[in-house]
Amino acid sequence: MTNPVITAELSLRSFYIFNSAFGPKEGEASEEKKVLFYHPQDTDIDTKIKDVGLSEAIIKFSNTFTKDDSVQTMHTQKTCQFYYQPEPGYWMIMTLNVPFDRKTRDTGDYNEYHGDTIHDTIFRSVLRQAYRMFRMFHGTFQDNLQPNDELDAQANLIGQLEAFYQSYILHLQMKKCDVVDAFGSVQYLPLNQLLFLRVQNFINMIEATFAPIKHCIFLYSDQVVWSGLNPTDLYTLYEYFHSPMFDHLAQSKQTRPAYVTEQGSIKRYTLMVCRKVQNISLCLLLDDGAVENEQSLYLELNAVVNPQLTSISTDIGLHLQSSGESSYSFGCSGNSKDDSPTAPKFIFFNELNLQHRGTVRLGQMQYQSVNGSGLPNDVMNLIVDLLDDVRSNRASVMDETIVKTHDDYWIVKRSCNSRHVFIILNKSSTLIDVTEETKKILDQHVKGIFF
């Protein structure tokens, strides 16, 4: 009788933020002043100091080989550690437990670790996004290093970090991170010219009618129809709207500060989200401090826009129904006509506007699949490898790569002018069959994008 295999999944070991400049001055002995945030919070202070000290040593050691603070990742057998310096002097460190299987052999039990399942690009992106989410709603770390009536500057910063990240980290699901995190992209819903112009006229109308409104985001079935923000900030807000943090805020208040990048500088706005009308969500960025009574403006906005949003939502739904499409066709929701694991699939990614679409379940959606239409972890990682390759070789205007895995997956990557399509075939085929299937999918889904 064989013993059952014990499996440990990928998990977060620690997450901390430090600044060596806050360390002890001459004559002081306390090293804990460097630590601005540490998760798990109940970790003893000696462990916190030891982890920060080790990170400082690794950063200093790596700087002997490079001219800048370019250390990004350190792999060991049991852990994988990611480094990110979002602002001068401030370091964010995320440590993951490598997944393993507990196995038995003649000499006893042992752990077989699977470090190759952790892709550096994906989790470096997760760490960067953790900073961008804080900066979106609280400003930069340096901006928060200001005293208030009750706390000195450093204590105020620590309080802001703890208040945000203790909640944020609880909702991080590391095992569900995939190629979308590496893309940093959102799903757009293309419309015909008439409907798109109607949405644009609606946006122009409310911006002209309500002077405090400076930017709008228009979502239909959680896909972007219109946005007045830069793609990176749009992705951060898009992630926020799909997180439990947003659901919690929506129950308590309608507005909160938001810091948006404009022309190289950060500007503070007030984010207001109108109630969802049928399938439409309308998110507004207001001039900070321009509205005296936010509740009054919120009620007035809803009274004005709700009838129009109801009409627009109905017309979009009828258009998608009459054209034989639904919102899935333009987003990676995976509800394609053939949702089986062996069906041909594709992912399209546009780096210029950070858009993705396709027929593969990604992110949270892959865990809602009935037929298992998601992709194996090794295939996801290979797609990110192909993306890293094209990003590191910008000299090539257009290229195509075909890869076959050991378990009969074929991946075709074609890139042109910062637009990439990944076609995934799960069957034993010849190279001629793969080429023909690729041409069929390109003609059907991304015709006119590639030469």
Side-chain angles (χ1 to χ4, degrees), residues 15-136:
F15 181 101
Y16 52 95
I17 302 170
F18 71 89
N19 189 327
S20 299
F22 297 158
K25 304 295 188 292
E26 186 176 353
E28 295 180 346
S30 177
E31 291 280 339
E32 63 183 284
K33 291 184 178 181
K34 299 177 183 179
V35 186
L36 302 177
F37 174 79
Y38 195 102
H39 174 85
Q41 199 170 21
D42 58 358
T43 305
D44 64 86
I45 189 62
D46 290 338
T47 300
K48 295 178 182 179
I49 293 173
K50 182 184 70 173
D51 287 349
V52 169
L54 178 60
S55 297
E56 288 179 310
I58 292 170
I59 293 168
K60 185 176 181 179
F61 175 75
S62 69
N63 288 345
T64 61
F65 303 99
T66 60
K67 295 181 180 180
D68 57 1
D69 296 318
S70 59
V71 58
Q72 295 179 330
T73 312
M74 184 183 72
H75 289 264
T76 67
Q77 182 185 34
K78 297 180 180 181
T79 65
C80 186
Q81 195 166 62
F82 297 91
Y83 297 75
Y84 179 48
Q85 184 180 207
E87 301 175 30
Y90 292 92
W91 282 93
M92 301 177 69
I93 314 295
M94 182 174 72
T95 308
L96 304 180
N97 289 313
V98 174
F100 67 85
D101 296 328
R102 184 73 171 173
K103 295 186 175 181
T104 303
R105 58 188 173 194
D106 295 339
T107 56
D109 295 342
Y110 70 101
N111 295 335
E112 183 178 277
Y113 290 91
H114 305 289
D116 56 339
T117 62
I118 299 178
H119 200 289
D120 290 0
T121 300
I122 292 176
F123 291 99
R124 284 202 306 264
S125 299
V126 171
L127 184 56
R128 284 196 301 269
Q129 185 62 16
Y131 170 74
R132 289 172 182 163
M133 193 71 79
F134 178 89
R135 200 217 66 187
M136 172 61 70

Side-chain angles (χ1 to χ4, degrees), residues 144 146-153 155-157 160:
N144 285 273
Q146 303 291 337
N148 58 25
D149 295 338
E150 300 178 355
L151 302 171
D152 62 27
N156 183 47
L157 172 59
Q160 295 288 348

